[in-house]
Amino acid sequence: MNRNVAVMDCGSNSTRLLVTSPEGEQLRREMTITRLSEGVDASRILSESALERTRRVLSDYREMALSYGESEIVVVATSAVRDACNRDEFVSRARAASGGSVAVISGADEARYSFLGATATLLDDGRPPVVLDIGGGSTELALESEGRVWGYSTDLGCVRLSERVLGHGPVTPEAEEMARDLISEELARASEALTPLNTLRGRGRLVGLAGTVATLAQLVYRVSHYERAAVHHRTLTRDHVVEWRECLAALTPDERSQLVGMVPGREDVIVAGLLVLEGVMELLGVDDLISSEDDILDGVASDVRCGRRPVTMDE
């Protein structure tokens, strides 16, 4: 391929952009909170306001991508759009706004792309990597075994859990217990589907992606303004997860937003994400994880450069 590749990821909480050169060099990476999944868990409808927020961002991203020259533009949509009855309306608007192809990918493909992106430049430390992508509407687990990538998508997401049980204010003990029960049920299903996961307990290397993990890294290392180098491939411990989950659960979103490192747009859903992270660490029997800013965007871009485009899950 002799053109740049621009990948736009329409997630449940954020819409993101990665522009790479034909050789794979990163030219630009952007993230905007759009909360596409707002209300989707209950209504199964993408709201007009969420659709419009996302459309505007995709249009801006198109201009950004083309400012670097001719680009192959690919849009992938995940949990919120998978769950929505008006999926076709999203696809139509996304295609017009981005000027590119649009694929509503399956949870398994989402997990696979996340694994490919997160492990491409990860240094081997002797432990098999298990990639965890905590999104707004779903959470993906992926690992490599028997010569292939195994991936599973759960109905755990920081926006979904917040809307369903936790709310957006201080978390009550009753709400936390309900959330933990939901997380345990979903992770039990993941464990059954990902049979190699059980052999990695206590010896796998957890690699955490997306906003919950990146925000935790910023909080732990007191990074006031995002810098990729400051949060990429940083070690986070289970003690960090528990400490910050307990601290943030007692605060209102406004109070959380005042903390050094809190990413705007994450303050009302971060506790749910940390509860998911805590549950996965317990499932795997690990006491630490490594954060990664390489993710699904990098996995999709790599495939596109090789001539393989994402496909909609119904195809």
Side-chain angles (χ1 to χ4, degrees):
M1 175 174 288
N2 58 5
R3 293 187 293 172
N4 295 337
V5 172
V7 180
M8 304 175 192
D9 168 35
C10 295
S12 296
N13 197 44
S14 64
T15 300
R16 302 179 306 127
L17 167 71
L18 173 64
V19 183
T20 62
S21 71
E23 297 75 33
E25 176 190 1
Q26 177 179 305
L27 303 176
R28 186 158 188 166
R29 193 183 290 258
E30 296 284 340
M31 185 278 290
T32 307
I33 300 292
T34 47
R35 196 61 62 87
L36 183 59
S37 68
E38 186 175 35
V40 169
D41 187 57
S43 69
R44 291 295 189 260
I45 296 291
L46 297 165
S47 71
E48 178 61 31
S49 57
L51 286 167
E52 180 57 20
R53 286 194 298 268
T54 306
R55 184 201 65 77
R56 288 197 301 267
V57 171
L58 291 176
S59 180
D60 290 343
Y61 283 176
R62 177 185 185 182
E63 296 304 313
M64 292 178 192
L66 294 179
S67 72
Y68 292 90
E70 187 179 3
S71 296
E72 177 84 2
I73 298 176
V74 175
V75 179
V76 292
T78 55
S79 176
V81 183
R82 284 198 296 266
D83 290 349
C85 297
N86 57 338
R87 182 194 311 171
D88 291 345
E89 175 66 18
F90 166 85
V91 171
S92 176
R93 294 194 195 193
R95 186 179 293 121
S98 68
S101 62
V102 180
V104 183
I105 61 175
S106 68
D109 277 349
E110 185 178 0
R112 182 178 69 84
Y113 283 129
S114 293
F115 185 90
L116 293 176
T119 58
T121 62
L122 184 68
L123 295 178
D124 185 4
D125 74 347
R127 294 178 294 171
V130 178
V131 172
L132 169 68
D133 186 348
I134 303 173
S138 65
T139 289
E140 283 68 46
L141 283 160
L143 54 90
E144 190 169 24
S145 179
E146 300 172 359
R148 69 180 180 92
V149 176
W150 297 61
Y152 185 80
S153 180
T154 75
D155 275 342
L156 298 173
C158 56
V159 176
R160 190 190 299 269
L161 274 174
S162 297
E163 290 184 348
R164 189 176 290 186
V165 294
L166 288 182
H168 297 293
V171 177
T172 66
E174 294 78 14
E176 181 180 321
E177 184 177 357
M178 290 174 62
R180 288 187 184 278
D181 288 343
L182 287 173
I183 292 167
S184 294
E185 291 172 7
E186 283 293 319
L187 292 183
R189 295 188 186 99
S191 185
E192 290 179 5
L194 295 175
T195 52
L197 191 66
N198 301 306
T199 68
L200 296 180
R201 181 171 174 79
R203 67 181 192 89
R205 183 189 195 187
L206 186 60
V207 183
L209 319 183
T212 292
V213 173
T215 301
L216 177 61
Q218 290 197 195
L219 290 167
V220 169
Y221 292 102
R222 297 184 64 80
V223 179
S224 57
H225 300 288
Y226 173 81
E227 295 179 25
R228 177 181 170 86
V231 296
H232 183 53
H233 288 175
R234 299 301 295 265
T235 297
L236 300 165
T237 68
R238 193 188 299 207
D239 286 344
H240 287 144
V241 177
V242 173
E243 175 188 351
W244 279 102
R245 190 257 305 155
E246 291 177 345
C247 169
L248 296 169
L251 304 177
T252 67
D254 284 344
E255 290 169 333
R256 296 169 193 164
S257 69
Q258 303 305 310
L259 298 170
V260 175
M262 181 57 68
V263 177
R266 304 283 182 195
E267 66 275 4
D268 60 337
V269 296
I270 182 69
V271 175
L274 292 175
L275 281 168
V276 174
L277 178 55
E278 193 176 344
V280 172
M281 295 183 81
E282 182 177 345
L283 174 70
L284 290 178
V286 297
D287 292 322
D288 59 47
L289 72 148
I290 186 170
S291 63
S292 175
E293 291 296 278
D294 294 336
D295 53 29
I296 184 175
L297 289 169
D298 303 86
V300 173
S302 177
D303 254 17
V304 172
R305 287 195 299 272
C306 293
R308 298 185 294 268
R309 282 193 178 192
V311 296
T312 290
M313 59 185 186
D314 293 335
E315 296 177 355

